[in-house]
Amino acid sequence: MFTMRDFLGLFVGAAVTAACFVLLLPPAQCPWGVLPAEQELGLGNATTQAADLSTNKLDKAQAATVADEDKLEGLLRAAVMADNKTVIMTFTNKAWTAPGSLQDLFLESFRVGDGTAPLLNHLIIIAVDANAYEACQRAHPLCYHLHDSAAAYTAEQVYMAKGYLEMMWRRNRFQVRVLKLGYSFVFTDMDIIWLRNPLLRVPFGADLAMSCDAYRNGAHRPYDLDRKAANSGFIYVRASDRMLEFYESWYAARVKYPGTNEQYVFDREKYVLPGRHGLLVQFVDTAYLSGFCELSKDFNKVCTVHANCLVGLKDKLEKLTEVLADWKQFRTNTTGQLTG
C-alpha cells in the first residue's frame, strides 16, 4: 500500500518533469498576429534599415544625375559661341577614337581647314564608352562621357544593325537634353571632315538645316524638301520650345517605322512634323555639305565632306584621308598663287 508520503513524492516528481518539458518547448506565436515587443522592435529596425538603404541609393543616384547634368552644362557654357549660343557636337566610341582612326582625321581637318581651327573651341566630343572618353581627353579639351548608355557601343556599329539603331536614337535623345538646357547646336558625324565653316551655308532663318545624300532640283527649288534624301550626319538645330516639341514628335513617330534610324523617320515626316510645330526646315546643297553619295570636287565651295555611301571604317578612313590630302595640296597651290 502506498502511503500519503509516497503519493506526494510521486505527484511532485511528475510536476517537476512537466515543468521541465514546458521550458524546453519553443515560444508559441502570439494570437492575432501580435508580436512580442522585442520581436516587433527587431522587425521595425529591419524595415527602417531597408528603407534607409533604398533612400540612400536613390539619393546617390539623384546626386549623380545632378552632378552629370551640371558637368554637361559646364561644358556647354565653355564651348558656346557667344553671339548665337550654339555649340558643335559629335559622338564617338572606342573604334573611332583608336590611334590613326576617325577622331584623329576629324580633328586634323579642323586644324588644316580654311578658318576652321577656331571652331575647335566650340566642339564637344561625346564619348559613349570609357575607352573613347579617355582617348578624347588625350586629344581634345572638351569631352563628355555619356554614362547613361544602356549598352556598350565600343566596337564599330554596322549600319542599320540593332546596336547602330540604338546609338542613333540615343544621340537623338541626347540632343533633346541640350535643347532643354537652352543651347542651339550643330551636330556632326565624326566621319565628316571640315574644310570650311559650314555654318556660313546654313540658310538664314532656318530652324533646322540638315545635310542630304542628294540635292536634286535644288538650284531651282531650294526650299523644296522633295527629292532631297535626308542625312542627319550634319544637322543645325535652333533651340526653342517649338523645337523641343518637334523632337518629341520625331521620337514618337519611330513606332510607325520599326527597325529604322532617326534620319529615315525624319525623311518620312519632313512635311508633317515641321508644319505641325511651325518650323522652317531646309536641306543644304551638296555643293557645300558634300559626301560620297554625291561628291563635290570643287574645293572653292565645299565646306564638309561626309563618308556616306561607304561601308566600313577602313573604307571611310581611306577615302577621307585621300580627300584631306587633296585639300592640303589645293591649299598649297592656292597659297602659292596668292603669294607668287
Side-chain angles (χ1 to χ4, degrees), residues 19 35-36 42 56 98 129 145 154 164 179 220 273 295 299 303 313:
L35 294 174
N56 287 338
D129 61 77
H145 187 186
T154 57
Y164 169 86
L179 288 173
H220 304 291
L273 295 185
L295 187 62
F299 279 140
C303 298
L313 178 57

Side-chain angles (χ1 to χ4, degrees), residues 19-68:
C20 291
F21 178 76
V22 170
L23 289 172
L24 291 173
L25 287 175
Q29 295 293 327
C30 292
W32 309 107
V34 179
L35 294 174
E38 61 274 13
Q39 291 187 36
E40 187 174 328
L41 180 61
L43 181 60
N45 288 340
T47 303
T48 302
Q49 289 172 1
D52 289 344
L53 182 60
S54 178
T55 301
N56 287 338
K57 286 182 178 179
L58 183 61
D59 289 344
K60 287 180 180 179
Q62 290 174 339
T65 300
V66 171
D68 186 62

Side-chain angles (χ1 to χ4, degrees), residues 117-304:
L119 296 176
L120 286 171
N121 297 324
H122 308 293
L123 170 68
I124 301 174
I125 299 177
I126 296 98
V128 298
D129 61 77
N131 290 305
Y133 182 62
E134 291 175 4
C136 175
Q137 289 182 305
R138 291 192 294 268
H140 187 65
L142 300 172
C143 304
Y144 176 75
H145 187 186
L146 187 59
H147 287 286
D148 64 346
S149 295
Y153 302 112
T154 57
E156 178 186 356
Q157 298 301 315
V158 178
Y159 182 70
M160 297 307 288
K162 182 176 182 292
Y164 169 86
L165 294 175
E166 288 174 352
M167 193 160 71
M168 294 304 100
W169 284 110
R170 180 160 292 280
R171 79 183 190 187
N172 178 276
R173 294 292 83 195
F174 180 81
Q175 290 168 2
V176 170
R177 288 177 60 189
V178 174
L179 288 173
K180 285 181 177 179
L181 291 171
Y183 291 86
S184 303
F185 62 82
V186 172
F187 177 85
T188 172
D189 276 347
M190 193 168 268
D191 62 342
I192 294 178
I193 54 175
W194 286 46
L195 307 178
R196 288 188 178 85
N197 185 354
L199 282 169
L200 301 177
R201 295 299 178 179
V202 170
F204 181 78
D207 295 295
L208 186 153
M210 186 181 289
S211 61
C212 54
D213 290 337
Y215 193 75
R216 301 182 186 94
N217 205 29
H220 304 291
R221 302 174 66 183
Y223 296 99
D224 186 3
L225 301 181
D226 201 16
R227 302 190 68 198
K228 299 175 179 68
N231 190 310
S232 59
F234 182 100
I235 181 171
Y236 164 77
V237 177
R238 189 193 308 275
S240 68
D241 291 339
R242 288 179 293 118
M243 185 60 72
L244 270 172
E245 293 169 359
F246 167 80
Y247 258 80
E248 294 305 329
S249 297
W250 183 3
Y251 186 70
R254 78 195 190 286
V255 299
K256 296 163 59 177
Y257 312 95
T260 59
N261 60 5
E262 86 293 6
Q263 73 182 27
Y264 181 92
V265 175
F266 179 91
D267 210 39
R268 294 301 179 274
E269 299 287 331
K270 62 189 176 185
Y271 290 106
V272 175
L273 295 185
R276 180 188 303 169
H277 297 288
L279 299 176
L280 176 59
V281 170
Q282 284 187 252
F283 291 115
V284 182
D285 195 335
T286 51
Y288 305 111
L289 302 188
S290 185
F292 283 86
C293 295
E294 192 171 274
L295 187 62
S296 170
K297 296 184 179 180
D298 187 354
F299 279 140
N300 290 297
K301 289 184 177 181
V302 69
C303 298
T304 63

